[in-house]
Amino acid sequence: MKPLRTTRPTVHLVGTGIASGSPPDDLEDWFPGRWNRNRRMWPDAGLVCHAIAQAPETARWWQPGRGATVNGGLVVGAALHALSPTRRIAEVVATGKPVTRATDFLFALPSSCAAIAGIVFGLEQQQTTFTTHGMSGFSALACGCDLMRTGRM
């Protein structure tokens, strides 16, 4: 088989990540200089960051605890996101009272987990979140493939 010759970057997927029931207890220690280890990550963001960390670690592009950045971007598909904070915001808004918990508003946004991942990994390229319910994963995959195909990520 002849090697592929191209003027565009060639991408080889060499690692994937899967979020399990809960991230490791020491997850905050994986990102020195980027996350305060004394501050617990929001659980949903912890799952996302743990899943994301597995891919570059498997590819040997990144190691936990070193504080290094990952040269790349992120496309996330979120079918259901942050139901508890969203429910609390809706309940407060329905009463006509002012929203007093800023974290509920922040984590009601579907892009919050991807934003935290961008911070802890030091991502410099495009970060996009899709929330198209049952099609979120497919939408994110299509966008990610298009970004790589066109050389924009």
Side-chain angles (χ1 to χ4, degrees):
M1 177 183 239
K2 286 185 171 182
L4 178 64
R5 297 194 187 271
T6 179
T7 58
R8 295 187 185 256
T10 303
V11 176
H12 298 277
L13 179 63
V14 292
T16 59
I18 299 172
S20 61
S22 63
D25 290 336
D26 67 339
L27 183 67
E28 289 79 7
D29 296 333
W30 291 15
F31 310 103
R34 301 203 159 273
W35 191 264
N36 180 347
R37 62 183 293 236
N38 296 322
R39 185 171 175 227
R40 291 289 293 170
M41 262 187 212
W42 181 55
D44 293 355
L47 283 174
V48 169
C49 290
H50 181 236
I52 293 168
Q54 294 172 47
E57 184 181 14
T58 301
R60 297 189 177 158
W61 297 338
W62 178 85
Q63 288 184 320
R66 300 236 173 149
T69 61
V70 175
N71 182 15
L74 179 65
V75 180
V76 174
L80 295 173
H81 65 278
L83 295 178
S84 296
T86 304
R87 186 176 298 121
R88 285 192 298 267
I89 289 284
E91 289 170 357
V92 172
V93 169
T95 66
K97 296 178 182 176
V99 176
T100 58
R101 289 181 62 170
T103 56
D104 279 345
F105 176 74
L106 174 64
F107 291 118
L109 301 172
S111 59
S112 294
C113 289
I116 290 173
I119 291 167
V120 298
F121 288 103
L123 300 176
E124 297 176 358
Q125 295 182 20
Q126 180 169 336
Q127 297 173 55
T128 305
T129 302
F130 285 89
T131 56
T132 51
H133 304 291
M135 298 299 289
S136 298
F138 293 116
S139 298
L141 182 61
C143 178
C145 288
D146 185 54
L147 289 170
M148 289 188 295
R149 181 184 58 80
T150 59
R152 294 182 287 157
M153 186 186 284

